[in-house]
Amino acid sequence: MGLSVIILAAGQGKRMHSARPKVLQLLAGRPLLAHVLASGKALGASDICVVYGHGGDEVQAAFEGQAIRWALQAEQLGTGHAVQQAMDGTPDDNRVLILFGDVPLLLPGTLQSLMDATSTGEMAILTVVVDDPAGYGRIVREHGNVVRNVEQKDATNDELAIREINTGVMLCPGAKLKAWLARLDNNNAQGEYYLTDVIAMAVADGVRVHGIKATKQEEVMGINDKKQLAEAERALQRRQVEELMEQGVGFADPARVDIRGTLRCGKDVYIDVNAIFEGTVTLADDVRIESNNLIRDSRLGAGTVVHSNCHIEGATTGPGCELGPFARLRPGTELAANVKVGNFVEIKKSNVADGSKVNHLSYIGDSDIGANVNVGAGTITCNYDGMNKYRTRIGDGAFIGSGVNLVAPVEVGSGATIGAGSTITRQVPNGELAISRAKQVTVKGWKARSKRIEKRGD
Ligand code: UD1
Ligand code: CA
């Protein structure tokens, strides 16, 4: 007996006031639907079906290449109608777990406990007790057992007072669900085919319905507008940071860090305020991230320090590197051990070997820099001739003076020295000194024009 997960995602999400379909709104850098899909996958579902409607092409394109069965709901006639669209390809003997595309914070553990509590042939719904149940379906119990759900708009005053609500998560035996869906009608206040009506049908058929209460309301929060999206973002960020703190990561302020993807940390990592991590970032032992840093898809070696205000993307550093303040590492930057990259330095597609320094105001692109090289302030690799990019190679122990232009393709030998202000276009042999600049002249008797001091009108 396998598990089918059906995710309802056909709604437009009018309250988002966005051109983008609701389930593509970003939460921690990923679409809402990606979070729900991840919980489905974590349960080991053999079949995941997404019911789509509004913005279908865009939604499908965002998840291209993933093992998803897509079911179109051309007209949004209600949650029951939506599930019906997915049933054709759903194996009868599977258990079916229904999730909503706009409820992204569910923990796999909560869903697992719902499944564990439910035997073959039984049904379960996830509920939660809230202070303000307005807008939700109310769970009606008799002698403690769930007997039906009533939507807000169809509820009597007594029913409106019930504080246990339907989260939308439901687990059903496949064949029975199919039969119940076929019997749904839309004789209700909203003229919709309510999925929730299958609860009473199950009870009438003598099928046990477990009402499992979620402990945290945050987990079952539905996202309808930008305000709720921002609330969910905070909740998810807090959850991620708490997990990292439990593993021993230090944060100056857990409320002032954002992780949009996966952050893996070694021991004794410390992260100051306003650090943003995107994609997959790995920080080895003793890494220290100072304030205001954006780090995307990068790996930083043990003991690396990132001073304030750096922008780091697609880079790797070895142990003991020091970056910034105000450094920019672009994709393809690979720094070996103990490399220093200082302020206003940009590096891309370059390898820098052990102990080298690029400390001030430089652009290093498409370069291979050896070990213990000193790159002087204001050095630029001229890697682009308007058509193609070329590489610059600098050997071990070379010393590049300040304000040097290295016009690629070009090679500076190991131990070579380049005089300040040079524009280097040809190979410099090992150990030699190259200077390439106009000679300084002194123009004798030259008179500076005296400044005209204009009298300004009132
Ligand atoms: C639904 C439940 C309600 C529950 C609440 C929890 C029903 C009848 N009501 O109400 O008991 O308390 O969720 O948040 O199920 N969708 C479709 N096609 C449709 C209609 C909806 O795919 O025709 C999708 C939406 O995109 C959304 C989800 O189903 O992801 C829920 O739909 P929504 O309209 O938000 O349901 P609620 O009225 O909030
Ligand atoms: Ca809703």
Side-chain angles (χ1 to χ4, degrees), residues 372-410:
N372 301 313
V373 168
N374 187 80
V375 176
T379 292
I380 305 291
T381 54
C382 311
N383 58 331
Y384 186 50
D385 63 2
M387 291 281 281
N388 295 302
K389 300 263 168 79
Y390 302 95
R391 291 198 81 82
T392 297
R393 292 194 168 76
I394 302 176
D396 294 346
F399 182 95
I400 314 294
S402 297
V404 168
N405 299 313
L406 297 162
V407 182
V410 72

Side-chain angles (χ1 to χ4, degrees), residues 171-423:
L171 179 66
C172 292
K176 285 184 176 135
L177 177 62
K178 251 180 221 177
W180 296 327
L181 289 171
R183 283 164 43 205
L184 284 182
D185 65 47
N186 62 354
N187 301 324
N188 51 53
Q190 303 189 79
E192 286 181 9
Y193 294 90
Y194 290 161
L195 172 64
T196 44
D197 286 352
V198 307
I199 298 169
M201 290 178 181
V203 173
D205 284 357
V207 171
R208 176 149 185 217
V209 181
H210 299 269
I212 312 284
K213 288 180 188 157
T215 44
K216 278 194 186 159
Q217 199 185 331
E218 164 194 306
E219 243 193 279
V220 295
M221 170 181 185
I223 316 292
N224 298 305
D225 55 30
K226 294 275 164 72
K227 213 175 133 222
Q228 287 169 332
L229 186 61
E231 270 170 42
E233 179 77 29
R234 281 301 100 211
L236 182 51
Q237 291 301 339
R238 194 170 54 242
R239 185 194 281 177
Q240 295 180 141
V241 170
E242 271 166 16
E243 255 169 49
L244 287 165
M245 289 192 295
E246 275 159 25
Q247 292 162 23
V249 180
F251 290 93
D253 181 354
R256 280 187 290 167
V257 60
D258 287 87
I259 301 163
R260 301 169 188 155
T262 307
L263 176 62
R264 292 194 197 94
C265 294
K267 284 204 164 45
D268 295 304
V269 166
Y270 180 77
I271 298 170
D272 208 332
V273 298
N274 299 334
I276 299 177
F277 299 94
E278 297 188 343
T280 303
V281 174
T282 306
L283 307 178
D285 294 352
D286 297 304
V287 164
R288 193 170 87 232
I289 308 295
E290 294 185 353
S291 59
N292 303 326
N293 280 297
L294 181 107
I295 304 178
R296 183 183 293 146
D297 293 319
S298 294
R299 278 185 293 128
L300 305 188
T304 290
V305 177
V306 183
H307 296 297
S308 294
N309 300 299
C310 293
H311 190 288
I312 296 171
E313 177 176 12
T316 61
T317 79
C321 290
E322 206 177 328
L323 313 176
F326 297 99
R328 179 171 185 209
L329 302 187
R330 291 171 51 201
T333 297
E334 294 197 15
L335 310 182
N338 305 313
V339 171
K340 285 180 80 173
V341 176
N343 37 223
F344 310 109
V345 171
E346 173 183 347
I347 303 186
K348 76 122 203 184
K349 266 196 196 156
S350 294
N351 305 299
V352 184
D354 293 357
S356 288
K357 297 182 178 126
V358 190
N359 271 335
H360 327 271
L361 297 155
S362 282
Y363 171 63
I364 304 296
D366 305 296
S367 302
D368 300 296
I369 298 181
N372 301 313
V373 168
N374 187 80
V375 176
T379 292
I380 305 291
T381 54
C382 311
N383 58 331
Y384 186 50
D385 63 2
M387 291 281 281
N388 295 302
K389 300 263 168 79
Y390 302 95
R391 291 198 81 82
T392 297
R393 292 194 168 76
I394 302 176
D396 294 346
F399 182 95
I400 314 294
S402 297
V404 168
N405 299 313
L406 297 162
V407 182
V410 72
E411 201 174 329
V412 175
S414 24
T417 300
I418 310 291
S422 294
T423 294

Side-chain angles (χ1 to χ4, degrees), residues 7-13 15 22-23 51-53 73 75-83 99-103 133 135-139 149-152 165-170 188 190 192-197 220-224:
I7 302 173
L8 303 192
Q12 183 178 12
R15 281 172 283 172
K22 175 154 88 173
V23 289
V51 180
Y52 71 101
Q73 187 194 25
E75 255 188 302
Q76 279 72 61
L77 302 179
T79 49
H81 178 258
V83 175
L99 304 175
F100 287 176
D102 61 354
V103 180
Y136 290 103
R138 311 297 206 278
I139 300 303
N149 168 86
V150 58
E151 290 297 290
Q152 159 106 9
I165 59 126
N166 172 33
T167 66
V169 176
M170 191 184 270
N188 51 53
Q190 303 189 79
E192 286 181 9
Y193 294 90
Y194 290 161
L195 172 64
T196 44
D197 286 352
V220 295
M221 170 181 185
I223 316 292
N224 298 305

